[in-house]
Amino acid sequence: MAFFNHIMVVLTIFVVVLLPATTIATEYVVGDGSGWTIDYDYQAWAKNKHFKVGDTLVFKYQQGEHNVYKVNASSFASCTVPTPGT
Ligand SMILES: *[C@@H]1O[C@H](CO)[C@@H](O)[C@H](O)[C@H]1NC(C)=O
């Protein structure tokens, strides 16, 4: 009986140690099959996802058609890319 208890303890340690390791880094393709585009509800896409430090967000788009910058609403509307250092 002690042998089986020992196995249970080892299994429990395995689960506790290994489970967080498998959940450290997740890769998300933003917009899934739609990719990074306009007229897509990214808030709905992100709503039930729990992003963590170390996760990767992949933005898939046609080069020259889109880009990835953090801008405010007016810069977004005028498609103004922020210039570094200004
Ligand atoms: C939006 O960002 C641009 C560029 O940084 C800035 O010039 C402009 O004043 C900002 N507009 C608002 C409403 O914050």
Side-chain angles (χ1 to χ4, degrees):
M1 236 15 200
F3 175 71
F4 289 107
N5 283 342
H6 190 69
I7 285 184
M8 279 306 289
V9 170
V10 170
L11 280 180
T12 306
I13 291 172
F14 240 70
V15 168
V16 168
V17 170
L18 289 185
L19 264 189
T22 60
T23 58
I24 280 178
T26 308
E27 184 177 287
Y28 296 96
V29 174
V30 180
D32 295 322
S34 298
W36 185 237
T37 184
I38 53 174
D39 296 327
Y40 185 91
D41 192 347
Y42 291 102
Q43 288 193 12
W45 174 83
K47 193 173 183 193
N48 294 313
K49 292 178 175 62
H50 301 280
F51 302 104
K52 301 177 297 300
V53 172
D55 286 353
T56 303
L57 295 178
V58 178
F59 294 85
K60 289 191 173 178
Y61 56 88
Q62 198 74 42
Q63 191 174 8
E65 282 185 23
H66 302 291
N67 53 37
V68 181
Y69 289 99
K70 184 182 177 187
V71 293
N72 58 28
S74 51
S75 290
F76 175 80
S78 61
C79 199
T80 305
V81 171
T83 46
T86 53

